[in-house]
Amino acid sequence: MERPIYVIQYGIGAIGSALTRLLSAKKWVKVVGAVDVDKEKVGKDLGVVAGLGRRLGVGVSPSLEKALSGTEADVVVHS
């Protein structure tokens, strides 16, 4: 199997949460980062914030620059 597509989810509102749930269910996608400006979401696990009912091991960053530091991404999904 080829390497999955590495994705950063930018925005974790209603649409971003739905996209996170969809993307995290795909074997060919690996969510590697998340961005949101809401201080209540920053620092929390993306899976918890997006309502997956499980942790993804991806923390929510306050900026794209922070999400990209130390992470390789192929795509940023902005919603």
Side-chain angles (χ1 to χ4, degrees):
M1 181 170 124
E2 292 182 34
R3 177 176 81 77
I5 297 171
Y6 289 2
V7 175
I8 292 177
Q9 175 60 49
Y10 194 123
I12 313 164
I15 294 171
S17 292
L19 283 169
T20 298
R21 290 189 294 273
L22 175 70
L23 291 170
S24 66
K26 304 297 180 189
K27 293 183 186 226
W28 49 272
V29 172
K30 180 174 173 96
V31 180
V32 296
V35 179
D36 202 286
V37 297
D38 184 346
K39 291 180 175 128
E40 295 293 318
K41 297 175 183 175
V42 171
K44 294 184 179 171
D45 187 271
L46 176 60
V48 173
V49 173
L52 268 73
R54 63 182 171 92
R55 298 176 66 81
L56 291 178
V58 175
V60 178
S61 297
S63 70
L64 183 57
E65 292 77 23
K66 287 200 179 221
L68 285 169
S69 68
T71 301
E72 246 182 77
D74 300 308
V75 177
V76 175
V77 178
H78 188 219
S79 53

